[in-house]
Amino acid sequence: MNNKILAVILIVPFLCLAGWVMYLTVQRETGQEVTVAVAGYDPRDLLSGHYIQYTIDWNRTDCSQFENAVCPKDAFCKEARWGRQCRFYVPENSARELDSLFWSRNTTDMVFEIIYAYKEGTEPIAKQMLINGKDWRDALDKNLKKKSDFLSF
């Protein structure tokens, strides 16, 4: 009897976690991909890890990709104590370079965007960050290559 209870106690959390992961995966893969422009971020938090905290720039976002060509501003990003918080997590070893790339940019040179999986009635899931229409890792590699070429002279 005790072994059965112990087995149930150990298995139930794993089943709940697996169900939650499957739910999020289905939501991420079946949602419509929408691209929103972002502005301003802070890549570091000692408690939460390395992420990009940004605000969505609805003035530069193409609202025609949403139903009725209206941006669902309230659906994006959770409401927190200090306002809406949007986060996109990045690997720790890339956070510093990404931070310097963002702050050293000329506003006309770089456009930062986030691709979301969006389905009306559910919370959007951030899938990918783009810099000038390319994956952020490619833009970061290109910037680091330019910097190393400049330093090699």
Side-chain angles (χ1 to χ4, degrees):
M1 178 75 174
N2 286 338
N3 288 341
K4 291 180 182 179
I5 293 173
L6 181 62
V8 168
I9 290 172
L10 291 175
I11 291 173
V12 167
F14 289 109
L15 292 176
C16 290
L17 180 63
W20 182 52
V21 168
M22 288 178 61
Y23 167 75
L24 289 176
T25 301
V26 167
Q27 184 180 353
R28 183 177 192 259
E29 298 305 318
T30 60
Q32 170 192 1
E33 282 195 354
V34 295
T35 304
V36 296
V38 298
Y41 76 90
D42 174 13
R44 293 178 292 277
D45 181 337
L46 296 176
L47 300 176
S48 298
H50 291 271
Y51 60 85
I52 294 173
Q53 184 170 315
Y54 54 88
T55 57
I56 296 177
D57 187 352
W58 291 110
N59 294 327
R60 294 185 324 153
T61 298
D62 176 19
C63 292
S64 67
Q65 59 190 329
F66 298 102
E67 188 176 330
N68 299 326
V70 176
C71 287
K73 298 176 184 178
D74 292 336
F76 284 78
C77 306
K78 291 182 179 178
E79 187 71 34
R81 186 176 183 178
W82 297 282
R84 294 197 172 270
Q85 295 197 352
C86 305
R87 292 183 176 172
F88 185 84
Y89 287 87
V90 296
E92 183 177 346
N93 59 351
S94 300
R96 187 177 308 251
E97 290 84 10
L98 198 54
D99 181 47
S100 65
L101 178 65
F102 183 82
W103 291 112
S104 67
R105 72 184 169 101
N106 181 339
T107 54
T108 58
D109 286 349
M110 294 190 178
V111 176
F112 286 73
E113 299 171 312
I114 301 288
I115 295 177
Y116 279 92
Y118 175 70
K119 186 186 280 186
E120 193 170 338
T122 61
E123 185 176 338
I125 298 175
K127 293 177 74 171
Q128 182 180 15
M129 183 173 67
L130 303 175
I131 301 175
N132 291 340
K134 296 180 182 173
D135 185 74
W136 68 272
R137 290 173 284 257
D138 297 337
L140 192 61
D141 290 342
K142 185 177 178 182
N143 188 57
L144 290 174
K145 185 176 181 323
K146 280 183 186 177
K147 199 181 283 187
S148 68
D149 290 345
F150 177 75
L151 294 174
S152 66
F153 285 110

